[in-house]
Amino acid sequence: MSDYRYLEIGRDGPVAILKLNRPEVLNACNPATHREIQAALEELELEEAVKVIILTGAGRAFCSGSDLREVGKFEGEEAKRYIRLDFSTKNRIATCSKPVIGALHGHVAGGGFEMALACDLRFVAEDVLFSLPEIKLGTIPGSGGLQRLPQIVGLGIAKEWAMTGRRIGAEEAFRRGLANAVHPNDRLLEETLVFAKDLAERSGLALALAKVALDPAPPAADGMIGFYHRLASQACHDDPVYKQQAGSYTKKGGDD
């Protein structure tokens, strides 16, 4: 495997564990993190011994979304390029030929929530808090979450969560079908590994075919939805409300 700055990659038999490793910012993503995730998935997909991939985060959160200390300064074409990169990362997870299971704890916010939605399955810790706080900043989720969330929890619930930005705990996530299982924090990875190893005993070809059949047309970064999100992001970011709220967010250190 290549060397990565913002990721840790481990193995347990046929299962690869891909861990976001920026705990000092609750694993918030910058452009380099996105590029590393995509490169790691390419490598793991080609590694025949790997049958299932677990995606998780170091420290006290899975992922708090985009790192606004860096990304929040992007404007114009730079902002559009980042939206496309972010969108393509979620698509790379969703279209991986091997099952990707999210092992999620702490904050799963914004782009981190959208990353979790791109996974095939989601196992969560009792302390998990999902949220789409973009609406509070004066913008919208921009990397496929608005398309994937209704497929999982239904349109009405998806609208409520996206329009309010409120936090969703483990019990509600499980009840709504967002979480496949809830485990104590100290047993989350262990229990996810048990499931992943059992899944790895299935035919890899059959699993890949099932993924394609269940989700035959994920939204493309360069398709209509991806283009819409780049335009929407630019419009929202040019709005004085976003500039004020994003500035306040970065000064106070994020959604914690």
Side-chain angles (χ1 to χ4, degrees), residues 75-76 233-243:
E75 296 183 355
S233 176
Q234 182 176 12
C236 289
H237 289 197
D238 288 343
D239 190 302
V241 173
Y242 175 82
K243 294 181 182 297

Side-chain angles (χ1 to χ4, degrees), residues 4-242:
Y4 295 102
R5 180 179 180 184
Y6 299 125
L7 302 177
E8 288 184 359
I9 300 175
R11 290 167 186 74
D12 194 324
V15 179
I17 303 169
L18 179 58
K19 181 181 292 186
L20 306 178
N21 192 30
R22 300 188 77 208
E24 70 281 2
V25 290
L26 301 182
N27 298 314
C29 292
N30 59 8
T33 308
H34 286 292
R35 287 189 283 268
E36 288 191 5
I37 292 170
Q38 294 186 41
L41 287 170
E42 290 286 342
E43 293 194 48
L44 292 171
E45 198 166 41
L46 293 173
E47 193 170 327
E48 291 187 9
V50 172
K51 305 300 182 184
V52 179
I53 300 168
I54 293 174
L55 180 60
T56 191
R60 55 194 182 92
F62 169 66
C63 177
S64 59
S66 294
D67 189 346
L68 290 186
R69 294 169 182 82
E70 183 174 345
V71 175
K73 299 175 183 177
F74 293 167
E75 296 183 355
E77 288 303 315
E78 190 175 28
K80 290 181 183 179
R81 285 195 297 271
Y82 178 77
I83 291 294
R84 187 189 183 284
L85 176 64
D86 189 5
F87 205 104
S88 63
T89 296
K90 311 306 167 47
N91 273 5
R92 189 65 191 86
I93 295 169
T95 60
C96 181
S97 63
K98 299 174 180 181
V100 180
I101 304 172
L104 314 170
H105 68 289
H107 286 289
V108 184
F113 194 166
E114 294 184 277
M115 191 180 298
L117 290 168
C119 295
D120 299 297
L121 303 169
R122 286 156 293 277
F123 287 7
V124 307
E126 291 173 334
D127 73 341
V128 77
L129 286 172
F130 292 93
S131 65
L132 293 172
E134 290 90 345
I135 196 72
K136 297 179 179 180
L137 297 177
T139 186
I140 61 173
S143 54
L146 293 183
Q147 286 69 48
R148 294 187 172 100
L149 183 60
Q151 298 176 17
I152 297 169
V153 303
L155 182 59
I157 297 301
K159 284 185 176 182
E160 178 198 337
W161 292 358
M163 290 179 176
T164 64
R166 72 176 180 86
R167 292 172 174 174
I168 298 94
E171 188 277 331
E172 184 177 3
F174 180 74
R175 178 162 46 87
R176 295 298 186 187
L178 176 62
N180 294 88
V182 180
H183 297 293
N185 289 36
D186 60 355
R187 292 184 56 82
L188 174 63
L189 189 55
E190 179 183 348
E191 295 291 346
T192 307
L193 271 167
V194 170
F195 183 93
K197 288 180 178 179
D198 180 67
L199 198 63
E201 296 179 2
R202 275 70 172 172
S203 160
L205 176 59
L207 289 171
L209 290 172
K211 283 190 63 166
V212 172
L214 288 163
D215 189 13
D222 288 320
M224 181 181 70
I225 292 173
F227 186 64
Y228 161 81
H229 277 296
R230 289 196 289 279
L231 291 178
S233 176
Q234 182 176 12
C236 289
H237 289 197
D238 288 343
D239 190 302
V241 173
Y242 175 82

